[in-house]
Amino acid sequence: MVDLKTQYEKIREEMDRAILETVASIKFINGPAVKKFQSELEEYLGGGHVVPCANGTDALQVSMMALGLKPGDEVIVPAFTYVATAEVIALLGLTPVMVDVDPDTFNTTAALVEAAITPRTRAIVPVHLFGQSADMEPLLELARRHNLFVIEDNAQAIGAEYTFSDGSRRKTGMMGHVGCTSFFPSKNLGCYGDGGAMMTREADLAQRLRMVANHGQERLYYHDMVGVNSRLDSIQAAVLSVKLAYLDEYNAARQRAAAYYDAAFADIQQLKTPFRQHNSTHVFHQYTLVMRDGDRDALRQHLAAQNIPAGVYYPVPLYKQKAFAHYWAGGELPVTEMLCRSVISLPMHSELNSAIQDQIINAIKTFFK
Ligand SMILES: *Cc1c(COP(=O)(O)O)cnc(C)c1O
């Protein structure tokens, strides 16, 4: 699904040097490499504050802790997402309230969220799924009206940009109170292990995020709150500094590969190619097709038989996962159900070329013949 080996080979010299310099510095924890990456990412995001942490799941958890969410508070999340989003909500004793998504964008909308708001709702977690921003302007407006926190799950969309109706633009992760991202190796900006970060435009909140991620302390050995230990290590930060310089290039390569797939599948009636929202760029963390009719699993097996990997993100609605059954009052969310049955994601990464894509495309075409 991804080709990190070829990507590494192309930047090998630069990367090896950065890693070895960090090792030689012996500043493995909170070393200068972490500060350097932090300020580079802040600049990339157009200002604000970045708080690095150990992974994307921690970023979500630390955010909810820093915002002071308390057991019993309801947090609205899409039912069609990666488990981490809802997991940390449950872990903190908060109540995940799962809502449906839009069939075109796969993201939740203000209308769907609004219908789920109760007097106990404290926060919304829009997920910018597969690389495209949720439609944030109406979501932010809704959150303002109901006095809710907005925590963006930006693990799949770093580098994407959203355009507001007044023409102003903002990077995903920088629109709500806090944005959370993951540097898992296969993400658009991935390190060589685990990593994550929180981003915010509010200095006070950045301070609290930093404190929660560092055992609740600002001053060493003085703990003002119960926190966690969540750090990005220096070697991963050095890797990320090297790769951040290529992020726009990598995302552009993904967009070109997506356009190539789009053109190839345009005349296959049974396949719906990814929708492009007018007010967001798409950085294609995944290239996800919806199978309009026919057997998605049969297509996947057909591809597997030719050694072509394909992914199903996600096969089960969150509320039907055993771990979350407890939060499910019954009743199905129709779009989430439909997507879990019919989505299929093709190999998508910065190193695709037409020769590789043609193999994948031909295999798919023979299935529909
Ligand atoms: C990857 C991912 C996460 C979690 O990131 P980790 O670094 O693996 O903890 C959270 N949310 C979404 C949508 C993701 O894709």
Coordinates of all heavy atoms in Angstrom, one line a residue, residues 179-236:
G179 N -5.6 20.8 17.0 CA -5.5 19.8 15.9 C -4.5 18.7 16.4 O -3.5 19.0 17.1
C180 N -4.8 17.5 16.0 CA -3.9 16.3 16.4 C -3.4 15.6 15.2 O -4.2 15.4 14.3 CB -4.8 15.4 17.2 SG -5.5 16.1 18.7
T181 N -2.2 15.3 15.2 CA -1.7 14.5 14.0 C -0.8 13.3 14.5 O -0.3 13.3 15.6 CB -1.0 15.4 13.0 OG1 -1.1 14.7 11.7 CG2 0.4 15.7 13.3
S182 N -0.6 12.4 13.6 CA 0.2 11.2 13.8 C 1.4 11.2 12.8 O 1.2 11.6 11.6 CB -0.6 10.0 13.6 OG 0.2 8.9 13.4
F183 N 2.5 10.8 13.2 CA 3.7 10.6 12.3 C 4.0 9.1 12.1 O 5.1 8.8 11.9 CB 4.9 11.4 12.8 CG 4.6 12.9 13.0 CD1 4.9 13.5 14.3 CD2 4.1 13.7 12.0 CE1 4.7 14.8 14.4 CE2 3.9 15.0 12.2 CZ 4.2 15.6 13.4
F184 N 3.0 8.3 12.3 CA 3.1 6.9 12.0 C 3.8 6.8 10.6 O 3.5 7.6 9.7 CB 1.7 6.2 12.1 CG 1.7 4.7 11.9 CD1 2.0 3.9 13.0 CD2 1.4 4.1 10.7 CE1 2.0 2.5 12.9 CE2 1.4 2.8 10.6 CZ 1.7 2.0 11.6
P185 N 4.7 5.8 10.4 CA 5.4 5.7 9.2 C 4.6 5.9 7.9 O 5.1 6.5 6.9 CB 6.1 4.4 9.2 CG 6.3 4.1 10.7 CD 5.1 4.7 11.4
S186 N 3.4 5.3 7.9 CA 2.7 5.3 6.6 C 1.8 6.6 6.4 O 1.2 6.8 5.4 CB 1.8 4.1 6.5 OG 0.8 4.1 7.5
K187 N 1.8 7.5 7.4 CA 1.1 8.7 7.2 C 1.7 9.6 6.2 O 2.9 9.4 5.8 CB 0.9 9.5 8.5 CG 0.3 8.6 9.7 CD -1.2 8.4 9.6 CE -1.6 7.6 10.8 NZ -3.0 7.4 10.9
N188 N 1.1 10.7 5.7 CA 1.7 11.6 4.7 C 3.0 12.2 5.1 O 3.9 12.3 4.4 CB 0.7 12.7 4.3 CG -0.5 12.1 3.5 OD1 -1.0 11.1 3.9 ND2 -0.9 12.8 2.5
L189 N 3.1 12.5 6.4 CA 4.4 12.9 7.0 C 4.6 11.9 8.1 O 4.1 12.0 9.2 CB 4.3 14.3 7.6 CG 5.5 14.8 8.3 CD1 6.7 14.9 7.4 CD2 5.3 16.2 9.0
G190 N 5.5 10.9 7.8 CA 5.7 9.8 8.7 C 7.1 9.8 9.1 O 8.0 10.1 8.4
C191 N 7.4 9.3 10.4 CA 8.7 9.2 10.8 C 9.1 7.7 10.7 O 8.5 6.9 10.0 CB 8.9 9.8 12.2 SG 7.8 9.1 13.5
Y192 N 10.2 7.3 11.4 CA 10.7 5.9 11.3 C 10.4 5.2 12.7 O 11.3 4.5 13.2 CB 12.2 5.9 11.0 CG 12.5 6.4 9.6 CD1 13.8 6.7 9.1 CD2 11.5 6.6 8.6 CE1 14.1 7.1 7.8 CE2 11.7 7.1 7.3 CZ 13.0 7.3 6.9 OH 13.3 7.7 5.7
G193 N 9.2 5.4 13.1 CA 8.8 4.8 14.4 C 7.5 5.5 14.7 O 6.7 5.8 13.8
D194 N 7.2 5.7 16.0 CA 6.0 6.4 16.4 C 6.3 7.9 16.7 O 7.4 8.3 17.1 CB 5.4 5.8 17.7 CG 4.5 4.6 17.3 OD1 3.6 4.8 16.5 OD2 4.7 3.5 17.9
G195 N 5.3 8.7 16.4 CA 5.4 10.1 16.7 C 4.0 10.8 16.5 O 3.2 10.2 15.8
G196 N 3.9 12.0 17.1 CA 2.6 12.7 16.9 C 2.8 14.1 17.3 O 3.9 14.5 17.8
A197 N 1.8 14.9 17.1 CA 1.9 16.3 17.5 C 0.5 16.9 17.7 O -0.5 16.5 17.1 CB 2.7 17.2 16.5
M198 N 0.4 17.9 18.5 CA -0.8 18.8 18.7 C -0.5 20.1 18.1 O 0.7 20.6 18.2 CB -1.2 18.8 20.1 CG -1.6 17.5 20.7 SD -1.5 17.4 22.5 CE 0.2 17.2 22.8
M199 N -1.5 20.8 17.6 CA -1.2 22.1 17.0 C -2.4 23.0 17.4 O -3.5 22.6 17.5 CB -1.1 22.0 15.5 CG -2.2 21.2 14.8 SD -1.7 20.5 13.3 CE -0.8 19.1 13.8
T200 N -2.1 24.3 17.8 CA -3.1 25.2 18.2 C -2.7 26.6 17.9 O -1.5 26.9 17.9 CB -3.5 25.0 19.7 OG1 -4.5 26.0 20.0 CG2 -2.3 25.3 20.6
R201 N -3.6 27.5 17.8 CA -3.3 28.9 17.6 C -3.3 29.7 19.0 O -2.9 30.8 19.0 CB -4.3 29.6 16.7 CG -4.1 29.2 15.2 CD -5.2 29.7 14.3 NE -6.4 28.9 14.6 CZ -7.6 29.5 14.9 NH1 -7.7 30.8 15.0 NH2 -8.6 28.7 15.2
E202 N -3.7 29.0 20.0 CA -3.8 29.6 21.3 C -2.6 29.3 22.2 O -2.4 28.1 22.5 CB -5.1 29.1 22.0 CG -6.4 29.5 21.3 CD -7.6 28.8 21.8 OE1 -7.6 28.4 23.0 OE2 -8.6 28.6 21.1
A203 N -1.9 30.3 22.6 CA -0.7 30.2 23.4 C -1.0 29.5 24.8 O -0.2 28.6 25.2 CB 0.0 31.5 23.6
D204 N -2.1 29.9 25.4 CA -2.4 29.3 26.7 C -2.7 27.8 26.6 O -2.3 27.0 27.5 CB -3.7 29.9 27.3 CG -3.5 31.4 27.7 OD1 -2.3 31.9 27.5 OD2 -4.4 32.0 28.1
L205 N -3.4 27.5 25.6 CA -3.7 26.1 25.4 C -2.5 25.3 25.1 O -2.3 24.2 25.6 CB -4.8 25.9 24.3 CG -5.3 24.5 24.0 CD1 -5.8 23.8 25.3 CD2 -6.4 24.5 22.9
A206 N -1.6 25.8 24.3 CA -0.3 25.2 24.0 C 0.4 24.9 25.2 O 1.0 23.8 25.4 CB 0.5 26.0 23.0
Q207 N 0.4 25.8 26.1 CA 1.1 25.7 27.4 C 0.5 24.5 28.2 O 1.2 23.7 28.8 CB 0.9 27.0 28.2 CG 1.6 27.1 29.5 CD 3.1 27.4 29.3 OE1 3.6 27.5 28.1 NE2 3.9 27.4 30.4
R208 N -0.8 24.4 28.2 CA -1.5 23.3 29.0 C -1.2 22.0 28.3 O -1.0 21.0 29.0 CB -3.0 23.6 29.0 CG -3.4 24.4 30.3 CD -4.9 24.2 30.7 NE -5.9 24.3 29.6 CZ -6.3 25.5 29.1 NH1 -5.8 26.6 29.5 NH2 -7.2 25.5 28.1
L209 N -1.2 22.0 27.0 CA -1.0 20.7 26.2 C 0.4 20.2 26.6 O 0.6 19.0 26.9 CB -1.1 20.9 24.7 CG -2.4 21.3 24.1 CD1 -2.3 21.8 22.7 CD2 -3.4 20.0 24.2
R210 N 1.4 21.1 26.6 CA 2.8 20.8 26.9 C 2.9 20.2 28.4 O 3.6 19.3 28.6 CB 3.6 22.1 26.8 CG 5.0 21.8 26.4 CD 5.7 23.0 25.7 NE 5.6 23.0 24.3 CZ 5.2 24.0 23.5 NH1 4.8 25.2 24.1 NH2 5.1 23.9 22.2
M211 N 2.1 20.9 29.2 CA 2.1 20.5 30.6 C 1.5 19.0 30.8 O 2.1 18.2 31.5 CB 1.3 21.5 31.4 CG 1.7 21.7 32.8 SD 0.9 23.2 33.3 CE 0.7 22.8 35.0
V212 N 0.4 18.8 30.2 CA -0.3 17.5 30.3 C 0.7 16.4 29.8 O 0.8 15.4 30.4 CB -1.6 17.5 29.6 CG1 -2.2 16.0 29.6 CG2 -2.6 18.4 30.3
A213 N 1.3 16.7 28.6 CA 2.2 15.7 28.0 C 3.4 15.5 28.8 O 4.2 14.5 28.5 CB 2.5 16.1 26.6
N214 N 3.7 16.3 29.8 CA 4.9 16.2 30.5 C 4.6 16.1 32.0 O 5.1 16.9 32.9 CB 5.8 17.5 30.3 CG 7.1 17.4 31.0 OD1 7.7 16.4 31.3 ND2 7.7 18.6 31.3
H215 N 3.9 15.0 32.3 CA 3.5 14.7 33.7 C 2.9 15.9 34.5 O 3.1 16.0 35.7 CB 4.8 14.3 34.5 CG 5.5 13.1 33.9 ND1 4.9 11.8 34.0 CD2 6.7 12.9 33.2 CE1 5.7 10.9 33.4 NE2 6.8 11.6 32.9
G216 N 2.2 16.7 33.8 CA 1.5 17.8 34.5 C 2.4 18.8 35.2 O 2.0 19.5 36.1
Q217 N 3.7 18.9 34.7 CA 4.6 19.9 35.3 C 5.0 20.9 34.3 O 5.2 20.7 33.1 CB 5.8 19.1 35.8 CG 6.7 18.5 34.8 CD 7.8 17.6 35.3 OE1 8.1 17.6 36.5 NE2 8.3 16.7 34.4
E218 N 5.3 22.1 34.8 CA 5.9 23.2 34.1 C 7.3 23.3 34.6 O 8.3 23.5 33.8 CB 5.1 24.5 34.3 CG 4.4 24.9 33.0 CD 3.5 26.1 33.3 OE1 2.7 26.1 34.2 OE2 3.6 27.1 32.5
R219 N 7.5 23.2 35.9 CA 8.7 23.3 36.6 C 9.1 21.9 37.0 O 8.2 21.2 37.6 CB 8.5 24.2 37.8 CG 9.8 24.8 38.4 CD 9.4 25.8 39.4 NE 10.3 25.8 40.5 CZ 9.9 26.1 41.8 NH1 8.7 26.4 42.1 NH2 10.8 26.0 42.7
L220 N 10.3 21.5 36.8 CA 10.7 20.1 37.1 C 10.3 19.7 38.5 O 10.7 20.4 39.4 CB 12.2 19.9 36.8 CG 12.6 18.4 36.6 CD1 11.9 17.7 35.5 CD2 14.1 18.4 36.4
Y221 N 9.6 18.6 38.6 CA 9.3 18.0 39.9 C 8.2 18.8 40.7 O 8.0 18.5 41.9 CB 10.5 17.7 40.8 CG 11.5 16.9 40.1 CD1 12.8 17.3 40.0 CD2 11.1 15.7 39.5 CE1 13.8 16.5 39.3 CE2 12.0 14.9 38.8 CZ 13.4 15.4 38.7 OH 14.2 14.6 37.9
Y222 N 7.5 19.7 40.0 CA 6.3 20.4 40.6 C 5.2 20.1 39.7 O 5.1 20.6 38.6 CB 6.6 21.9 40.7 CG 7.6 22.2 41.8 CD1 9.0 22.1 41.5 CD2 7.2 22.5 43.1 CE1 9.9 22.4 42.5 CE2 8.2 22.8 44.1 CZ 9.5 22.7 43.7 OH 10.5 23.0 44.7
H223 N 4.3 19.2 40.2 CA 3.2 18.6 39.4 C 1.9 19.3 39.7 O 1.3 19.0 40.8 CB 3.2 17.1 39.5 CG 4.5 16.5 39.2 ND1 4.9 16.2 37.9 CD2 5.5 16.2 40.0 CE1 6.1 15.7 37.9 NE2 6.5 15.7 39.2
D224 N 1.4 20.1 38.8 CA 0.2 20.9 39.1 C -1.1 20.1 38.7 O -2.2 20.4 39.2 CB 0.2 22.2 38.4 CG 1.3 23.1 38.9 OD1 1.9 22.8 39.9 OD2 1.6 24.1 38.2
M225 N -0.9 19.1 37.9 CA -2.1 18.3 37.5 C -1.6 16.9 37.2 O -0.4 16.7 37.0 CB -2.8 18.9 36.3 CG -1.8 19.2 35.1 SD -2.7 19.5 33.6 CE -2.7 21.3 33.5
V226 N -2.5 16.0 37.1 CA -2.1 14.6 36.7 C -2.0 14.6 35.2 O -2.9 15.0 34.4 CB -3.2 13.6 37.1 CG1 -2.8 12.2 36.6 CG2 -3.3 13.6 38.6
G227 N -0.8 14.3 34.7 CA -0.6 14.3 33.3 C -0.2 12.9 32.8 O -0.5 11.9 33.4
V228 N 0.5 12.9 31.6 CA 1.0 11.6 31.1 C 2.4 11.9 30.6 O 2.9 13.0 30.7 CB 0.1 11.2 29.9 CG1 -1.3 10.9 30.3 CG2 0.2 12.2 28.7
N229 N 3.1 10.8 30.2 CA 4.4 11.0 29.6 C 4.3 10.7 28.1 O 4.1 9.6 27.7 CB 5.4 10.0 30.2 CG 6.7 10.0 29.5 OD1 7.1 11.0 28.9 ND2 7.5 8.9 29.6
S230 N 4.3 11.8 27.3 CA 4.2 11.6 25.9 C 5.1 12.5 25.1 O 5.0 13.7 25.1 CB 2.7 11.9 25.5 OG 2.6 11.5 24.1
R231 N 6.2 11.9 24.6 CA 7.3 12.7 24.0 C 7.6 12.2 22.6 O 7.5 11.0 22.3 CB 8.6 12.6 24.8 CG 8.5 13.1 26.2 CD 9.8 13.1 26.9 NE 10.2 11.7 27.3 CZ 10.4 11.4 28.6 NH1 10.3 12.4 29.6 NH2 10.6 10.2 29.0
L232 N 8.0 13.1 21.7 CA 8.5 12.8 20.4 C 10.0 12.7 20.7 O 10.6 13.6 21.2 CB 8.2 13.8 19.4 CG 8.8 13.6 18.0 CD1 8.1 12.5 17.3 CD2 8.7 14.9 17.2
D233 N 10.7 11.6 20.3 CA 12.1 11.5 20.6 C 12.9 12.2 19.6 O 12.4 12.5 18.5 CB 12.6 10.1 20.9 CG 12.6 9.3 19.6 OD1 13.4 9.6 18.7 OD2 11.8 8.3 19.5
S234 N 14.2 12.6 19.9 CA 15.0 13.4 19.1 C 15.3 12.8 17.7 O 15.3 13.5 16.7 CB 16.3 13.8 19.8 OG 16.0 14.4 21.0
I235 N 15.5 11.5 17.7 CA 15.8 10.9 16.4 C 14.6 11.0 15.4 O 14.8 11.3 14.3 CB 16.3 9.4 16.6 CG1 17.6 9.4 17.3 CG2 16.4 8.7 15.2 CD1 18.1 8.0 17.7
Q236 N 13.4 10.7 16.0 CA 12.2 10.9 15.1 C 12.0 12.3 14.7 O 11.6 12.5 13.5 CB 11.0 10.4 15.9 CG 11.0 8.9 16.2 CD 11.3 8.0 15.1 OE1 11.1 8.3 13.9 NE2 11.9 6.8 15.4

